[in-house]
Amino acid sequence: MKSGRNDPCWCGSGKKYKKCHLKTDQAVKSRPVSPPERCKSQEQIEGMRKAGRFNGELMDYVRPHVVAGRTTDQIDRLVHEFTLDHGHTPATLGYKGFPKSCCTSINHVVCHGIPSERDELKDGDIVNVDLTTIVDGFYGDQSETFIVGEVPEVVRDLVRDTALATLVGLDSIKPGRTLRDLGGAIQDFAEQRGYSVVREYTGHGIGTSFHEDYSVFHYRAAGAERIVLEPGMTFTVEPMVNIGGWQTRLDPDDGWTVYTADGELSAQFEHTIVVTETGCEILTLTPQQREAGQRLIVDGIDLGPIAKLAA
């Protein structure tokens, strides 16, 4: 059933359709299906492999420093210095006025948290570290949620299940399927585990621009079936999964930090991928991770290869 402009939005936000998803739906529905320019050349894909590989190495470098007693500003400085030392560029620094070289989102912060010397990690926190770098003109984009010290099992489950939801989404990618199929796979997995998936913030096309022309929804968004997956397409998959409701609120003061509306915890994982003839290749991996068969280890637990997760 089609929503009228003044009807309640189909997403359940309680807002009128015109104030909520109308513009997004119009934008998605007006896009053509998989034009050739969305598909990268082999030369471009190799450039993105290089960017993704460095991004994975940067995450490996940062990982041991995400511990209790460390401030998010100290993590940001490590990211900044390591990136510059290798001759590359932190993509978020100065992007639309963002003041730091990475995003750090603690506990009920969904995304876009600004590193600060006031935010000291403590035992029991979870924190997402989101890294984006520019390497020879190509972008690599990746994030990971870390567990700091000891947390309740429900929190540990949230982090692990969010990692699994990400990989289930990646495993659903096949030429001929659509972005709606990808979003549905993630939504089904998360909701079956009792979580909700954030709807206001999405993945995105990526290449020589930070955000290319289409959004990657992590739920069954209206119109997302128009974006058909083809080999050579490159985009991020980065579901934000909440213990409570999916609704969010934006910090009115800094204009960046996004919180869960109900104050419940949120976790996120992200990878940059390229669609292949048979599925997808994760670009934001180190050579060591690639040799291990694209496995994911979260909080010391081997979650297995992608193909195994959808079985």
Side-chain angles (χ1 to χ4, degrees):
M1 180 177 178
K2 185 176 179 180
S3 297
R5 292 175 58 86
N6 292 308
D7 292 338
C9 187
W10 55 262
C11 72
S13 66
K15 300 178 183 178
K16 290 184 178 180
Y17 182 53
K18 66 182 180 182
K19 294 288 188 180
C20 195
H21 271 87
L22 174 61
K23 290 183 179 180
T24 299
D25 289 351
Q26 288 175 336
V28 172
K29 290 178 181 178
S30 68
R31 293 171 183 147
V33 176
S34 300
E37 60 267 22
R38 284 190 180 145
C39 300
K40 306 295 190 296
S41 68
Q42 286 304 311
E43 183 178 1
Q44 291 172 317
I45 292 170
E46 190 52 44
M48 294 197 65
R49 282 195 182 103
K50 184 177 178 181
R53 183 165 58 246
F54 173 74
N55 214 70
E57 292 168 353
L58 175 59
M59 187 68 80
D60 276 355
Y61 172 72
V62 169
R63 190 173 286 109
H65 300 281
V66 185
V67 294
R70 185 81 60 172
T71 68
T72 54
D73 192 61
Q74 288 173 323
I75 293 171
D76 179 75
R77 288 201 298 272
L78 290 169
V79 169
H80 183 82
E81 292 167 4
F82 187 88
T83 304
L84 294 186
D85 287 347
H86 286 77
H88 306 313
T89 303
T92 60
L93 184 61
Y95 178 76
K96 295 186 177 181
F98 192 83
K100 296 291 183 175
S101 294
C102 68
C103 299
T104 51
S105 303
I106 302 173
N107 295 332
H108 66 296
V109 177
V110 174
C111 60
H112 304 161
I114 301 173
S116 170
E117 61 184 10
R118 297 187 301 274
D119 291 333
E120 180 177 307
L121 298 177
K122 61 183 184 300
D123 188 73
D125 282 339
I126 59 172
V127 57
N128 178 269
V129 179
D130 194 340
L131 307 175
T132 311
T133 49
I134 309 171
V135 177
D136 297 334
F138 290 92
Y139 285 72
D141 194 2
Q142 175 186 18
S143 84
E144 183 172 328
T145 296
F146 296 91
I147 293 172
V148 182
E150 294 297 322
V151 298
E153 195 62 29
V154 65
V155 178
R156 196 174 302 277
D157 287 345
L158 169 68
V159 175
R160 292 177 184 169
D161 287 342
T162 303
L164 286 170
T166 307
L167 294 185
V168 166
L170 295 178
D171 192 48
S172 75
I173 296 172
K174 299 287 188 299
R177 293 182 181 174
T178 71
L179 288 182
R180 184 176 170 89
D181 295 325
L182 190 162
I186 292 171
Q187 181 179 10
D188 287 348
F189 180 87
E191 292 182 353
Q192 286 166 8
R193 300 287 177 108
Y195 307 111
S196 64
V197 179
V198 169
R199 300 186 178 189
E200 295 97 333
Y201 299 89
T202 71
H204 49 88
I206 190 169
T208 54
S209 297
F210 198 159
H211 298 88
E212 292 189 342
D213 71 333
Y214 54 94
S215 295
V216 179
F217 297 91
H218 304 114
Y219 65 102
R220 287 187 180 83
E225 69 277 0
R226 292 183 55 82
I227 310 298
V228 180
L229 303 180
E230 295 184 9
M233 293 175 69
T234 54
F235 52 85
T236 68
V237 177
E238 48 183 297
M240 290 140 272
V241 176
N242 298 347
I243 283 182
W246 57 262
Q247 294 86 351
T248 66
R249 64 179 180 87
L250 180 65
D251 189 304
D253 295 322
D254 66 39
W256 282 103
T257 308
V258 178
Y259 304 93
T260 56
D262 56 14
E264 294 287 356
L265 296 178
S266 182
Q268 180 188 20
F269 285 79
E270 174 185 14
H271 276 297
T272 299
I273 66 96
V274 58
V275 180
T276 67
E277 296 289 343
T278 58
C280 76
E281 175 188 343
I282 302 176
L283 300 174
T284 37
L285 292 174
T286 63
Q288 294 80 7
Q289 290 169 324
R290 194 174 300 281
E291 290 172 6
Q294 299 191 163
R295 304 178 76 85
L296 184 69
I297 296 177
V298 176
D299 190 35
I301 304 298
D302 186 345
L303 298 180
I306 295 173
K308 179 181 176 183
L309 298 174

